[in-house]
Amino acid sequence: VRLDATGSGDAEQATETLRFDWTLGDGTTHPDAGPVVDHTYQAAGTYTVGMCGYGTNWNNNEYGYISTLTYL
């Protein structure tokens, strides 16, 4: 599965995003992975995927998304 957050963010912070942290719902995390992550799930199922984008002030989460992914 390819997860792509390219172009995500808010209008004020979109050009400042330096870091993307991902949680993939199966115990896998990808800290500071960039806006695109490729992942292979070991089993079909429904997974809750989270992504947080950070701007120039890395202590503050600029935006975040949580979505449900069904892998068949």
Side-chain angles (χ1 to χ4, degrees):
V1 174
R2 173 163 282 194
L3 303 167
D4 190 341
T6 303
S8 63
D10 62 43
E12 296 174 6
Q13 304 298 331
T15 59
E16 295 182 2
T17 302
L18 301 175
R19 176 178 174 166
F20 292 84
D21 291 347
W22 294 86
T23 57
L24 302 180
D26 63 352
T28 303
T29 61
H30 290 286
D32 201 10
V36 178
V37 170
D38 291 314
H39 183 67
T40 301
Y41 288 96
Q42 298 303 308
T46 300
Y47 299 93
T48 301
V49 177
M51 184 278 296
C52 290
Y54 297 86
T56 54
N57 181 357
W58 292 45
N59 293 323
N60 294 329
N61 180 349
E62 299 291 353
Y63 52 89
Y65 297 98
I66 297 176
S67 184
T68 302
L69 168 73
T70 300
Y71 179 71
L72 304 176

